[in-house]
């Protein structure tokens, strides 16, 4: 749901391959997903060099605007300090300054899919959104993980019908809607751009769909002061 992004799993190649096959089969889309390619030795000794190599290779080959790293049970059990790794990599490699990097802790032995989505959404908001002068009529829409591309298109149309301009974060309606891009890109395409994510700091209201969006909405309020409304569901006349 993010544009020009490269998702990375801090894991072995097998973990990443399984996740990639699952996503591609479900969405029937070409989904990029990279790995830090941990093995027995690096799992025991620590994965800094793997993360460093992955960041440099991805920046050189795919040139994403954003690299999003999620952890797995393998690296969480070892206890890798990924945030420390990233700080060290930025100090050693100033060429990474033009690439936003987000890390989210998502071990598979804690919570479920919705929890990982919640942490990812909150991580994006805290890392990238900054307070900005309010833009009249702009609202931020945080869709839950259960919404389809068609659901998000419908919500955008409803919001725009009231004369408002929505910033959708994340927006899978443009990235997982079955379109074929005119040119090949090694990163994700068609989702929320980095500029749009930052612009969420100028919204007057945040609308969350699903309880899993509450934490991100609270983070947005802390950054920009925008109030929020969370809808448990949008199914049925009453809702």
């Amino acid at each position: 749901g993010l544009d020009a992004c490269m998702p990375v799993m801090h894991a072995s190649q097998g973990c990443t391959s399984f996740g990639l096959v699952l996503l591609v089969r479900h969405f029937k889309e070409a989904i990029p997903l990279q790995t830090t390619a941990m093995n027995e030795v690096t799992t025991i000794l620590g994965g800094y060099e793997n993360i460093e190599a992955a960041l440099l290779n991805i920046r050189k080959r795919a040139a994403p605007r954003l690299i999003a790293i999620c952890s797995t049970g393998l690296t969480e059990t070892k206890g890798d300090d990924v945030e420390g790794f990233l700080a060290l990599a930025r100090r050693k490699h100033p060429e990474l300054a033009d690439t936003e990097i987000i890390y989210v802790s998502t071990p598979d032995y804690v919570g479920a899919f919705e929890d990982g989505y919640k942490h990812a959404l909150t991580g994006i908001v805290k890392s990238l959104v900054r307070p900005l002068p309010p833009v009249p009529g702009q609202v931020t829409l945080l869709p839950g993980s259960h919404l389809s591309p068609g659901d998000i298109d419908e919500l955008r149309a409803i919001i725009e019908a009231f004369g408002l301009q929505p910033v959708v974060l994340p927006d899978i309606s443009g990235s997982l809607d079955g379109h074929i891009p005119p040119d090949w890109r090694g990163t994700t395409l068609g989702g929320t751009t980095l500029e749009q994510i930052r612009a969420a700091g100028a919204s007057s209201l945040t609308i969350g769909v699903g309880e899993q969006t509450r934490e991100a909405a609270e983070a947005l309020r802390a950054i920009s002061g925008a109030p929020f409304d969370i809808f448990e569901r949008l199914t049925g006349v009453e809702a």
Side-chain angles (χ1 to χ4, degrees), residues 180-228:
I180 299 174
D183 56 342
W184 183 88
R185 277 171 51 183
T187 61
T188 58
L189 74 160
T192 312
T193 65
L194 194 56
E195 289 74 21
Q196 288 171 329
I197 298 172
R198 290 172 175 154
S203 294
S204 304
L205 174 71
T206 301
I207 300 171
V209 183
E211 189 62 31
Q212 62 203 261
T213 64
R214 183 177 297 275
E215 193 176 279
E218 290 172 346
L220 269 172
R221 182 176 63 183
I223 293 168
S224 66
F228 63 84

Side-chain angles (χ1 to χ4, degrees), residues 3-229:
D3 187 58
C5 172
M6 179 58 76
V8 180
M9 289 183 75
H10 184 33
S12 68
Q13 287 178 303
C15 297
T16 310
S17 297
F18 176 79
L20 183 60
V21 168
L22 193 71
L23 287 168
V24 169
R25 283 182 175 176
H26 178 78
F27 288 107
K28 295 180 175 59
E29 296 273 0
I31 296 176
L33 185 62
Q34 290 289 345
T35 176
T36 55
M38 299 291 285
N39 57 33
E40 297 91 331
V41 175
T42 55
T43 299
I44 295 170
L45 298 180
Y48 169 72
E49 291 182 355
N50 290 56
I51 285 183
E52 180 184 46
L55 291 175
L56 295 174
N57 285 335
I58 290 168
R59 182 190 173 279
K60 180 180 179 181
R61 295 178 181 178
R65 301 286 307 280
L66 172 68
I67 297 176
I69 303 174
C70 61
S71 64
T72 57
L74 179 76
T75 52
E76 291 276 2
T77 303
K78 162 62 175 66
D80 273 357
D81 177 15
V82 178
E83 290 180 344
F85 292 170
L86 295 177
L88 179 59
R90 282 201 180 279
R91 283 200 302 271
K92 288 179 62 179
H93 301 283
E95 65 269 29
L96 291 171
D98 61 358
T99 308
E100 294 286 354
I101 304 172
I102 295 174
Y103 167 67
V104 184
S105 174
T106 53
D108 50 6
Y109 50 75
V110 176
F113 175 72
E114 290 82 359
D115 296 278
Y117 184 89
K118 174 183 73 175
H119 294 320
L121 191 53
T122 305
I124 291 166
V125 168
K126 288 183 175 179
S127 299
L128 300 178
V129 179
R130 298 289 180 269
L132 295 169
V135 174
Q138 179 179 298
V139 299
T140 300
L141 172 64
L142 305 177
S145 61
H146 58 290
L147 296 184
S148 70
D151 293 327
I152 294 174
D153 274 336
E154 181 69 15
L155 284 173
R156 180 186 285 106
I158 292 172
I159 292 170
E160 289 177 347
F162 282 86
L164 303 172
Q165 181 60 41
V167 173
V168 185
L169 177 65
D171 186 5
I172 62 169
S173 71
S175 59
L176 296 175
D177 60 348
H179 73 284
I180 299 174
D183 56 342
W184 183 88
R185 277 171 51 183
T187 61
T188 58
L189 74 160
T192 312
T193 65
L194 194 56
E195 289 74 21
Q196 288 171 329
I197 298 172
R198 290 172 175 154
S203 294
S204 304
L205 174 71
T206 301
I207 300 171
V209 183
E211 189 62 31
Q212 62 203 261
T213 64
R214 183 177 297 275
E215 193 176 279
E218 290 172 346
L220 269 172
R221 182 176 63 183
I223 293 168
S224 66
F228 63 84
D229 276 313

